[in-house]
Every structure is written in C-alpha cells, then in structure tokens.
C-alpha cells in the first residue's frame, strides 16, 4: 500500500487518467504498471493498493517521485500537518475528527469505543472546569493510545521467556534450561485483555564476567526504573530479585511443577501462573490492564483530553473570556 497526502486529485488524474470521489473505493489502472484499488479517504488523502508485489510498489514509487512526489518517512507527522476535518470530512465536529485521527494510531482495541464517545462527552461537559483527577485519568487513558511499558524481571531460568511466549502466543524469545540464555532485553507488543503494552522480557540478573551480559543487565536496571508496571517473577527454588524499585506484582511461575507444592515462596505471591497449562494467565492480563487503565477510567462519562488541542483550545477561550470580562469591568468603573 502507498499512501498519498497532498494534491491527490492531480496525482490520480496523471496516474490513472481520472480521479476518485472522496469516500470512494475504485479499481484503477496505474499507467502501464499494474491494476489495483484506490481508496479516497479525504480530499487530500488516498491509498493506492497495487495487485503486484514489491517490484511493482518500487516502480510506482519511482513514477511518483519522477512526477514530483516526496517520500515521507513518518506518515503520522504528515497527517498531523493537515486539519483533522480535512482528513475526516465525515466527522460531525472537530472533537470527532480528532478522535478518528487518534483512533488511526491508537494501539489498544479498548480505545475505540471511548474515542467514539468523546464528541458527546465534550458537548455534555460544556464549559465546566476540569479537576486534578480528570487530568490524572487522562494520563492513564492515554496508555490506550501510546502503549505503556511493562517489565518482566527475575532470576535466570525462572521462566520469563516461557511466560512471555505464552502471553504473546508465539515464540519470540529463546527458551532454554541453560541459565542466561536471554542475554538482552527482548520486547514485543502484547494485547493484555484489550490493553496493548510494550512488554520487556529482561535478561536474568546475576553476577557475571561477560561484558555483553553486564551491559544488558545494566540496561535492564534502567528499564525497571522507567517502566509503568513491573512484574517480578519467582519459581521453585528461585526467589524474587532485589530491584531498584518496588515491583507492582509478585508472580510465582511454574505452578504446575511438583517442586512448587512445598515451596514456601508460593505463599508470598500475588498470583500463581503456569505458562504450560495456562493457569493464571488471564488473571495476569486483567491485573496489568486494571492497574494501568482501570475500569473506572474507561467507564467515566467525563470527557477525555486525548489530544492536546482539546485542552489548549479551551484554555485559550477561557483566557479570552476573562480578558473580555476585565474590559467590561474597567469600562464600568
């Protein structure tokens, strides 16, 4: 797919011989290169979907460049330069247009319903002031758009990679009975019951003379301090680590291991899990989600300032009103 932003009509006329109406999805011939679909999303935005593979995409890019188009490495910044109501002419008002623009980049499925409800929430709220709790709630809800960082830490061979793979649903980290197999921080985006997080599977922290492993462990310590949520993992015979901050959740892994039945560590855990049987995995997903973006935030009828423009515009309007009132009071005197 190639996305075009700017003078889309002129480009489609030159490439396809005719334009595509805003909101339309049409089959077009791309010169002598290929056939494909054109989705006209807005007056200044469309998407070209050729039938062929990467070589066809390269040739289309060459044609576009030869006809005055510039390649943009960051499409989101290009969209940000356009007025939201131009990007989404179907929106009923500016709040809805901003919500649709935010939805396009929101990482979490839970964001969709909330964003669609914001036009009504802002209209109902009117000019009423916002509280400190509102601003704290906005910060938590913003995690639905930009994924929060969750760090998983534990001793080598505690089962961190196995647990991470089970949550992700695929093998993205090496799993081995040899301690220290994961030598670097491994990250992936994982959906935890509707909240997408940046999940960091950190290398087992231990004493080592290996320079590369020492560097990885130092990075792990920094990630632990910087994370929005820290899961500390223990396993039979492998206690929780001393960390540079208090962990948010103590998890006991390998709960299906026979050795866990007599392990005193098990009673100290907030949650017991087994990556092999699936025990506790749903509970883990929900605990992390509710800790970072609780249901009370998601169900609040009060508006969410998901875009800085929403609050900036209100602040400017309030300042203008106060200035106007000051002028009236001065003339009265």
């Amino acid at each position: 797919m190639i996305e075009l932003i700017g003078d889309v009509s002129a480009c489609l006329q030159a490439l396809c011989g005719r334009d595509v109406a805003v909101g339309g999805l049409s089959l077009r011939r791309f010169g002598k290169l290929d056939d494909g679909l054109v989705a006209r999303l807005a007056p200044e935005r469309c998407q070209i979907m050729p039938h062929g593979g990467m070589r066809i995409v390269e040739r289309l890019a060459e044609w576009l460049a030869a006809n005055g188009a510039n390649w943009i490495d960051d499409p989101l910044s290009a969209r940000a330069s356009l007025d939201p109501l131009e990007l989404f002419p179907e929106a009923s008002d500016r709040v809805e247009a901003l919500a649709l623009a935010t939805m396009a980049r929101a990482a979490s499925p839970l964001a969709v319903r909330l964003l669609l409800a914001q036009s009504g929430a802002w209209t109902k709220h009117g000019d009423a002031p916002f509280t400190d709790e509102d601003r704290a709630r906005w910060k938590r809800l913003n995690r639905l758009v930009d994924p929060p960082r969750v760090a998983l830490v534990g001793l080598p061979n505690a089962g961190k990679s196995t647990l991470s793979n089970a949550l992700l649903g695929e093998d993205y980290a090496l799993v081995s009975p040899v301690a220290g197999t994961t030598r670097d921080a491994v990250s992936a985006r994982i959906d935890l019951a509707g909240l997408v997080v940046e999940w960091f599977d950190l290398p087992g922290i231990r004493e080592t003379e290996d320079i590369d492993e020492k560097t990885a462990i130092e990075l792990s310590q920094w990630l632990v301090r910087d994370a929005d949520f820290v899961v500390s993992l223990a396993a039979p015979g492998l206690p929780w680590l001393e960390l540079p901050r208090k962990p948010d959740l103590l998890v006991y892994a390998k709960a299906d291991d026979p050795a866990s039945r007599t392990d005193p560590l098990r009673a100290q855990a907030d949650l017991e899990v087994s990556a092999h049987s699936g025990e506790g995995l749903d509970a883990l997903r929900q605990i992390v989600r509710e800790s970072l973006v609780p249901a009370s935030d998601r169900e609040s009828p009060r508006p969410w300032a998901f875009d800085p423009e929403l609050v900036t515009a209100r602040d400017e309007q309030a300042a203008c009103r106060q200035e106007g009132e000051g002028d009236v009071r001065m003339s009265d005197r």
Side-chain angles (χ1 to χ4, degrees):
M1 180 186 293
I2 298 174
E3 184 166 56
L4 302 179
I5 298 173
D7 190 359
V8 170
S9 292
C11 182
L12 292 178
Q13 288 280 5
L15 179 62
C16 307
R18 53 182 170 149
D19 202 354
V20 175
V22 174
L25 179 67
S26 303
L27 181 66
R28 290 287 186 266
R29 178 71 183 168
F30 305 138
K32 298 181 179 180
L33 299 176
D34 197 10
D35 294 313
L37 292 174
V38 177
R40 186 69 179 274
L41 306 177
E44 297 186 2
R45 179 181 167 215
C46 77
Q47 292 173 343
I48 295 176
M49 293 163 270
H51 176 263
M54 288 304 299
R55 180 55 190 148
I56 293 296
V57 173
E58 289 173 0
R59 292 183 67 188
L60 273 169
E62 291 168 0
W63 184 94
L64 290 166
N67 285 270
N70 296 312
W71 186 262
I72 299 172
D73 291 324
D74 184 4
L76 286 178
S77 67
R79 291 184 194 175
S81 66
L82 299 177
D83 188 287
L85 286 169
E86 293 180 1
L87 279 173
F88 300 98
E90 70 275 20
S92 60
D93 57 27
R94 192 166 192 81
V95 173
E96 186 172 75
L98 288 168
L100 292 172
T102 302
M103 196 184 307
R105 66 181 185 86
S108 294
L110 285 174
V112 174
R113 180 180 61 83
L114 271 70
L115 288 168
L116 290 176
Q118 289 309 301
S119 178
W122 280 86
T123 300
K124 185 176 180 180
H125 190 75
D127 293 332
F130 291 115
T131 65
D132 290 341
E133 177 50 37
D134 283 324
R135 297 179 188 279
R137 177 171 51 83
W138 298 343
K139 186 176 180 180
R140 293 189 293 268
L141 286 174
N142 285 342
R143 291 167 173 164
L144 297 176
V145 179
D146 300 307
R149 291 182 170 186
V150 177
L152 177 65
V153 294
L155 285 168
N157 217 24
K160 297 184 299 299
S161 296
T162 303
L163 175 59
S164 298
N165 291 340
L167 291 171
L168 184 63
E170 60 184 79
D171 293 341
Y172 83 115
L174 294 175
V175 177
S176 167
V178 178
T181 299
T182 304
R183 294 162 59 95
D184 296 302
V186 180
S187 69
R189 287 196 171 184
I190 298 182
D191 187 331
L192 299 180
L195 171 65
V196 173
V197 304
E198 287 285 357
W199 181 272
F200 289 88
D201 175 4
L202 302 184
I205 299 174
R206 61 174 183 166
E207 293 295 329
T208 178
E209 296 303 319
D210 186 289
I211 299 299
D212 292 335
E213 192 171 355
K214 277 185 176 181
T215 302
I217 290 171
E218 289 174 2
L219 174 61
S220 296
Q221 299 280 22
W222 178 83
L223 284 169
V224 167
R225 286 189 291 266
D226 191 58
D228 297 288
F229 194 90
V230 174
V231 178
S232 185
L233 201 66
L238 298 171
W240 289 281
L241 284 167
E242 291 290 332
L243 298 173
R245 59 173 275 190
K246 182 180 179 181
D248 298 284
L249 188 67
L250 295 176
V251 174
Y252 185 86
K254 305 182 183 180
D256 57 339
D257 190 321
S260 69
R261 297 171 189 166
T262 57
D263 190 351
L265 290 171
R266 187 167 183 165
Q268 303 171 29
D270 299 315
L271 179 68
E272 301 171 10
V273 301
S274 168
H276 295 294
S277 70
E279 176 188 348
L281 296 189
D282 284 342
L284 175 57
R285 294 184 181 99
Q286 292 174 16
I287 289 171
V288 177
R289 181 194 68 189
E290 293 306 306
S291 297
L292 292 171
V293 189
S296 58
D297 290 345
R298 307 193 308 271
E299 296 167 4
S300 173
R302 294 177 67 81
W304 163 26
F306 56 87
D307 188 291
E309 178 183 322
L310 294 168
V311 177
T312 302
R314 274 178 58 108
D315 291 344
E316 289 175 352
Q317 290 169 5
C320 289
R321 284 196 300 270
Q322 290 175 1
E323 184 178 346
E325 290 168 2
D327 292 342
V328 171
R329 286 194 297 272
M330 183 70 76
S331 63
D332 288 344
R333 287 198 296 271

